[in-house]
């Protein structure tokens, strides 16, 4: 009798298997029998997951060094997790994006929601940037890169090892080129009529935030002939979209000089540099200074980093979002618009909306919520993983 190709791990007797059977993608360390044999599995190993009665649940990637000890890969325990399997998953993800976008600039893989847990891949035309944020993806990185080339035809594949997630998995922070050659400089990315410059080698995350694309587009519709303030602007996300939408002027505020340099380069490529200004500094301090100066804008957008990246940080994060809303509302001209964003999955939509509305009220303003936005369709939501639906954008008319 041929032995099974993968080892077996098992749920504890009191662990409820129903959620996993219905699609939950994660199994935590306190839900599994962690005997010596299970602990001996090297990080990134593939195993068959069984319930307490030894009924198979699927194939999982195992990492005993992570609190998320098992990640569901395939419900079919007869599957083989190899290059052919990866190619099929990537081809399905690519087919969706090809329907959605005319140009090959998008998030190609959004982790669990695209059936590749812990894996993020952003595409920049002929270049793909991979964030392998789970141990199994690190182990199979050469196969992922080869499958990615086969499916998309990209000539360059870059590994980005930055970010908190890899640390939680016990993985290294060594980035580098896996295939091809590193770009000589920032890469131009077209979105919503604007041009953004993405630093794929040294920028934040994979170099640009594709998730805000539909919210940039909505803001641009409000921006015609408007004076626009974009706070936490990074490489000019909302500001450049607003200028593409016909804004009179736009001011981008960020603490990063390199990010603002990229924003200015994007504005120059668009031919709108005469209507674009930047201001480097702490966002809260800059907004307070603008209030003291009596500045007013027809459209103000704030897209801060994750103030509540985890549940322990939630209350402090909500207070920070409230403060952002209070300061930003004080800069909106009567009859203007305010956009407030959160990328904190721990702060759900209801709590974020409450914090924003309270902050607007504390500024002595009142207004209607005219639009609620989320990430674009290249960032699909896994219906049983709240973390995949992290982005919220609220637009108010004041």
């Amino acid at each position: 009798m041929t032995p099974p190709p993968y080892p077996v791990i098992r749920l504890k007797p009191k662990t409820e298997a129903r959620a996993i059977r219905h699609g939950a993608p994660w199994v935590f360390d306190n839900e599994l029998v962690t005997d010596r044999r299970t602990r001996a599995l090297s990080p990134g190993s593939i195993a068959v997951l069984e319930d307490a009665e030894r009924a198979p649940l699927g194939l999982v990637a195992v990492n005993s060094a992570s609190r998320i000890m098992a990640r569901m890969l395939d419900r079919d325990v007869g599957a083989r997790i190899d290059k052919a399997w990866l190619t099929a998953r990537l081809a399905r993800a690519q087919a969706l994006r090809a329907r959605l976008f005319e140009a090959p600039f998008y998030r190609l893989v959004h982790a669990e929601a695209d059936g590749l847990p812990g894996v993020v891949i952003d595409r920049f035309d002929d270049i793909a940037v991979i964030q392998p944020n789970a141990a199994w993806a690190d182990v199979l990185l050469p196969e992922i890169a080869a499958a990615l080339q086969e499916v998309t035809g990209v000539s360059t594949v870059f590994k980005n090892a930055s970010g908190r997630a890899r640390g939680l998995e016990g993985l290294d922070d060594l980035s580098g080129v896996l295939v091809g050659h590193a770009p000589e400089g920032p890469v131009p990315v077209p979105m919503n009529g604007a041009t953004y410059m993405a630093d794929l080698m040294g920028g934040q995350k994979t170099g640009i935030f594709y998730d805000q694309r539909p919210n940039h587009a909505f803001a641009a519709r409000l921006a015609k002939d408007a004076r626009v303030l974009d706070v936490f602007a990074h490489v000019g996300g909302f500001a450049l979209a607003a200028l593409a939408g016909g804004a009179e002027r736009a001011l981008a505020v960020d603490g990063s000089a390199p990010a603002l340099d990229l924003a200015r380069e994007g504005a120059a490529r668009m031919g709108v540099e005469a209507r674009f200004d930047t201001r480097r500094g702490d966002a809260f301090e800059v907004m307070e200074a603008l209030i003291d100066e009596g500045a007013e804008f027809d459209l103000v957008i704030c897209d801060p980093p994750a103030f509540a990246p985890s549940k322990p940080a939630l209350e402090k994060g909500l207070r920070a979002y409230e403060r952002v809303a209070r300061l930003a509302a004080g800069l909106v001209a009567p009859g203007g618009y305010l956009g407030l964003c959160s990328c904190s999955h721990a702060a759900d939509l209801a709590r974020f909306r409450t914090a924003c509305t309270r902050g607007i009220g504390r500024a002595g303003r009142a207004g209607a919520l005219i639009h609620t936005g989320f990430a674009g369709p290249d960032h699909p939501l896994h219906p049983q993983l709240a973390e995949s639906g992290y982005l919220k954008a609220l637009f108010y008319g004041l």
Side-chain angles (χ1 to χ4, degrees):
M1 183 176 177
T2 304
Y6 296 120
V8 174
I9 65 172
R10 193 166 293 119
L11 296 179
K12 288 180 176 178
K14 293 185 179 180
T15 299
E16 176 57 69
R18 184 181 305 168
I20 299 168
R21 291 189 191 282
H22 292 175
W26 292 352
V27 186
F28 293 93
D29 54 2
N30 62 353
E31 298 175 310
L32 290 163
V33 175
T34 51
D35 54 21
R36 185 182 304 173
R37 181 182 55 84
T38 302
R39 288 286 182 189
L41 294 174
S42 60
S45 296
I46 310 301
V48 175
L49 175 66
E50 295 181 346
D51 66 15
E53 283 71 45
R54 300 177 182 264
L57 297 170
L59 292 181
V60 293
V62 181
N63 184 359
S64 60
S66 171
R67 175 136 199 281
I68 305 170
M69 191 167 168
R71 297 172 185 261
M72 184 62 69
L73 294 174
D74 202 309
R75 304 282 160 183
D76 177 8
V77 295
R80 295 294 178 269
I81 310 303
D82 53 16
K83 180 174 174 287
W85 183 90
L86 292 163
T87 299
R89 294 286 167 110
L90 289 168
R92 187 169 64 187
Q94 172 65 34
L96 171 64
R97 277 66 179 185
R99 285 178 177 271
L100 295 171
F101 303 104
E102 293 182 2
F105 294 89
Y106 39 68
R107 173 147 296 180
L108 175 60
V109 170
H110 193 50
E112 279 77 0
D114 279 303
L116 292 167
V119 179
V120 169
I121 304 177
D122 282 352
R123 184 173 179 185
F124 302 86
D125 195 8
D126 197 34
I127 303 170
V129 181
I130 305 178
Q131 286 187 307
N133 294 329
W136 78 273
D138 241 28
V139 171
L140 291 178
L141 198 53
E143 289 85 353
I144 295 174
L148 186 58
Q149 277 195 292
E150 180 179 323
V151 168
T152 66
V154 297
S155 64
T156 297
V157 181
F158 179 69
K159 171 192 173 186
N160 182 305
S162 65
R164 176 173 171 265
R166 285 182 61 83
L168 295 175
E169 285 277 298
L171 303 175
D172 66 52
D173 60 354
L174 302 175
S175 299
V177 176
L178 301 175
V179 178
H181 303 282
E184 295 182 359
V187 173
V189 177
M191 282 197 294
N192 296 314
T195 300
Y196 300 95
M197 302 306 298
D199 181 358
L200 306 187
M201 308 298 289
Q204 293 183 40
K205 301 292 186 180
T206 61
I208 206 163
F209 299 107
Y210 282 130
D211 53 2
Q212 286 283 21
R213 187 190 325 239
N215 301 316
H216 289 164
F218 183 80
R221 291 164 61 189
L222 300 174
K224 178 70 173 174
D225 299 324
R227 300 161 296 169
V228 177
L229 174 64
D230 179 6
V231 186
F232 307 98
H234 189 226
V235 297
F238 282 98
L240 296 184
L243 289 168
E248 177 186 303
R249 295 198 65 81
L251 171 62
V253 175
D254 201 89
S256 167
L260 292 178
D261 287 343
L262 291 171
R264 283 190 290 269
E265 186 176 344
R269 285 182 177 244
M270 293 167 60
V272 297
E273 63 268 39
R275 296 186 281 133
F276 181 62
D277 295 306
T278 63
R279 193 155 168 173
R280 183 191 175 199
D282 175 84
F284 294 102
E285 293 176 2
V286 171
M287 284 194 286
E288 288 171 346
L290 288 169
I291 290 171
D292 290 342
E293 294 165 17
E296 281 190 337
F297 301 87
D298 305 298
L299 173 62
V300 177
I301 306 106
C302 296
D303 183 17
F307 287 144
S310 60
K311 287 183 179 179
L314 177 58
E315 293 307 318
K316 182 178 179 181
L318 291 172
R319 289 194 297 272
Y321 287 123
E322 181 179 326
R323 186 183 175 200
V324 167
R326 175 176 60 82
L327 292 171
L331 290 164
V332 179
Y337 302 95
L338 172 62
L340 300 167
C341 307
S342 167
C343 59
S344 299
H345 70 81
D348 63 20
L349 177 60
R351 290 193 178 190
F352 176 59
R353 187 171 55 219
T354 297
C356 292
T357 304
R358 183 182 296 124
I360 293 169
R362 288 184 60 203
R365 305 296 296 273
L369 181 60
I370 61 172
H371 179 71
T372 301
F374 303 97
D378 54 343
H379 290 66
L381 170 66
H382 190 294
Q384 289 172 279
L385 193 63
E387 287 82 353
S388 63
Y390 60 94
L391 184 66
K392 288 83 63 178
L394 305 176
F395 286 85
Y396 294 82
L398 301 187

